Amino acid sequence: MPTLSSVNRIELYYITGKIPYALCRQFVEEVLLVSDDEMVASVKMLYERGLKVEPAGSAAFTALVQGRIKDVAGKKVVIVITGGNITPPELDKLIGW
């Protein structure tokens, strides 16, 4: 089995169940990629604003602030930010405080 390395524990799984796969095929229009470094920067930015978020939970926010989500100028945009399951030592190691 191939191994993957990422700051995201949850996104390392490349095998999904039949139902989630079917739902993604039906509803997902586009997949955007963000790097680990970009997510770490977002985690730090969000933490500085009072939010404790793990890297996977910041992926959509990261895509937005990195300009990967197009055609948002002048629009109201909602981004779901999730994942507070990061421990203080993990957060410290990640953002270097």
Side-chain angles (χ1 to χ4, degrees):
M1 178 179 287
T3 59
L4 302 171
S5 176
S6 175
V7 296
N8 297 306
R9 288 176 276 164
I10 190 95
E11 294 176 2
L12 291 178
Y13 300 101
Y14 60 91
I15 299 172
T16 187
K18 290 180 182 179
I19 294 173
Y21 181 74
L23 291 171
C24 286
R25 286 188 52 116
Q26 183 176 355
F27 296 110
V28 173
E29 295 177 13
E30 184 178 7
V31 175
L32 304 172
L33 301 177
V34 293
S35 73
D36 282 358
D37 289 341
E38 291 168 335
M39 281 188 284
V40 169
S42 290
V43 167
K44 185 174 182 180
M45 181 187 307
L46 292 167
Y47 185 77
E48 290 170 346
R49 288 159 177 79
L51 297 173
K52 185 181 90 169
V53 179
E54 60 194 51
S58 75
F61 176 78
T62 302
L64 180 67
V65 298
Q66 292 297 322
R68 293 206 178 77
I69 300 175
K70 304 298 181 200
D71 196 30
V72 295
K75 296 181 179 177
K76 291 182 181 180
V77 177
V78 175
I79 295 289
V80 177
I81 299 173
T82 64
N85 296 323
I86 189 167
T87 66
E90 290 171 326
L91 184 62
D92 181 53
K93 181 179 178 184
L94 194 62
I95 63 176
W97 289 4

